[in-house]
Amino acid sequence: MSKEILFLEPVFTHNIWGGTKLREEYGYPVEGDDIGECWGIAAHDNGDCTVKSGTFAGKTLSTLWNEHRELFGNQEGDRFPLLVKIIDAKDDLSIQVHPDDTYAAEHENGSFGKMECWYILDCEENSTLVIGHNAKTKEELTDMIENKRWGELIREIPVRKGDFIQIDPGTVHAIKGGITILETQQNSDITYRVYDYDRLSNGQPRQLHVKQSLDVITVPAKPVEDSVIYVGETKVNELQELIRCQYYKVFKIDVDGEAVIEDNEPFLIMSVVEGSGTIDGQEIRKGAHFILPAGYGNVKLKGNMKIIASTSA
Ligand code: ZN
């Protein structure tokens, strides 16, 4: 069994709402002023990360899942379960919603649905996000969408750096400009665009998915308090659980000096989101994404850094 840490080479997307922060602040070698997403841990047709070094150098994460399932504790499933990305929104993202597994399987060629959660890495003073909507019934929702009553429809909430938000399938949501997040999600890329602020991309409005949106949006929306997770007091040098749901467990680790993390999960995804240090002697810094494979054992982190970790549930 391999005891190597799997350091991954991320994949990037360019988006009309993207910017330059992923290059300038996170140090990723990617050109352009429209960099929207860094897929740090991904094994999807639209982005498949490759291993940087060691025994599996050059292999994609989906290949490892298919051919070396022992690295992931021999978990079942035809696809790697999770996708972890950093999203830098220079401008507002479209207002969108994701289907659940049942709807996606039926309408999207057997894709997974998408449950996701956000750790707010950075934002400006007085930032807001769109989470949920104000329609009380399906009829009201339909009317608000068909008659473009966007101001009445969408529910905006204030957010601060360090907030953590869970977004169930069926939840209307949008990241606003100036916000950078780390998203942990089901391995899916199915998004239904409800409203795009009437913007043009290459001279054309981007496609909206009104029918699918109306099919999948939950009415009424969950109360805000059920989406914004209280993170609690920061514990230093410990694995601090942020959420546990049917698809994933997500943790935060604030390393100040030295932390030993016990090997309690089938595998553990880690993304360094602030600072730098070492993991079992190997240097890591902000922007690094890697996986501790099954059976790796306890791991020693040193330095001054913040890490968001996850595993499948
Ligand atoms: Zn989303």
Side-chain angles (χ1 to χ4, degrees):
M1 178 160 293
S2 169
K3 296 287 160 59
E4 291 174 33
I5 298 171
L6 303 167
F7 287 96
L8 295 173
E9 197 74 66
V11 176
F12 299 90
T13 69
H14 295 267
N15 306 79
I16 55 171
W17 43 261
T20 57
K21 200 173 183 178
L22 290 173
R23 177 179 60 246
E24 288 167 3
E25 197 181 295
Y26 287 79
Y28 297 122
V30 54
E31 294 295 310
D33 57 6
D34 61 349
I35 312 159
E37 300 185 349
C38 164
W39 293 22
I41 306 285
H44 191 278
D45 288 346
N46 298 347
D48 205 348
C49 298
T50 47
V51 179
K52 282 187 175 182
S53 55
T55 307
F56 301 109
K59 292 223 188 278
T60 62
L61 184 54
S62 61
T63 302
L64 292 191
W65 178 259
N66 290 330
E67 298 175 6
H68 294 279
R69 195 66 66 91
E70 72 281 1
L71 296 170
F72 311 99
N74 293 310
Q75 287 206 337
E76 294 193 3
D78 64 348
R79 277 156 283 181
F80 186 75
L82 301 180
L83 202 163
V84 176
K85 52 171 88 158
I86 295 174
I87 302 178
D88 170 37
K90 185 159 173 273
D91 293 315
D92 298 348
L93 268 74
S94 62
I95 299 191
Q96 51 189 254
V97 63
H98 305 298
D100 63 11
D101 284 341
T102 309
Y103 190 92
E106 191 180 333
H107 298 271
E108 302 290 348
N109 272 323
S111 169
F112 285 154
K114 186 168 164 188
M115 183 167 302
E116 67 190 41
C117 60
W118 299 344
Y119 182 82
I120 311 284
L121 295 171
D122 197 15
C123 64
E124 291 159 8
E125 285 271 310
N126 305 316
S127 278
T128 62
L129 287 171
V130 174
I131 308 287
H133 61 80
N134 296 313
K136 289 176 191 65
T137 62
K138 198 90 183 177
E139 291 68 36
E140 193 179 10
L141 177 75
T142 308
D143 186 69
M144 282 175 165
I145 290 177
E146 288 180 349
N147 294 306
K148 305 184 186 303
R149 294 162 57 198
W150 308 117
E152 292 165 81
L153 175 73
I154 61 177
R155 189 167 73 189
E156 281 193 46
I157 62 162
V159 286
R160 288 177 306 182
K161 187 172 168 172
D163 281 352
F164 185 71
I165 294 153
Q166 169 81 340
I167 299 175
D168 295 343
T171 304
V172 173
H173 62 281
I175 303 167
K176 310 267 291 184
I179 297 179
T180 309
I181 65 166
L182 181 131
E183 177 174 287
T184 304
Q185 56 162 101
Q186 280 182 275
N187 183 5
S188 166
D189 201 22
I190 307 289
T191 293
Y192 299 137
R193 212 173 274 134
V194 183
Y195 174 54
D196 197 29
Y197 305 98
D198 302 315
R199 286 181 292 197
L200 300 180
S201 172
N202 300 319
Q204 296 287 326
R206 295 194 295 173
Q207 194 195 354
L208 300 181
H209 310 94
V210 174
K211 186 203 172 289
Q212 294 93 328
S213 299
L214 288 172
D215 281 349
V216 305
I217 292 173
T218 305
V219 189
K222 245 178 34 168
V224 171
E225 310 83 77
D226 294 350
S227 294
V228 180
I229 311 290
Y230 176 64
V231 172
E233 218 170 292
T234 290
K235 297 178 199 145
V236 173
N237 298 329
E238 278 181 37
L239 204 60
Q240 183 177 3
E241 186 175 294
L242 298 176
I243 197 166
R244 161 191 301 252
C245 69
Q246 67 190 109
Y247 297 107
Y248 45 73
K249 287 188 260 182
V250 180
F251 310 92
K252 178 165 77 87
I253 312 163
D254 281 299
V255 181
D256 183 8
E258 187 177 306
V260 174
I261 306 299
E262 286 180 23
D263 181 8
N264 291 329
E265 305 294 342
F267 62 94
L268 198 59
I269 290 169
M270 287 189 176
S271 300
V272 182
V273 295
E274 264 178 41
S276 62
T278 59
I279 181 163
D280 285 345
Q282 300 188 71
E283 286 191 18
I284 49 176
R285 62 176 298 279
K286 177 171 174 169
H289 302 270
F290 48 90
I291 301 174
L292 304 181
Y296 181 84
N298 295 352
V299 68
K300 189 181 284 183
L301 298 162
K302 279 188 182 176
N304 205 297
M305 55 191 168
K306 185 189 293 290
I307 292 173
I308 302 296
S310 56
T311 189
S312 60

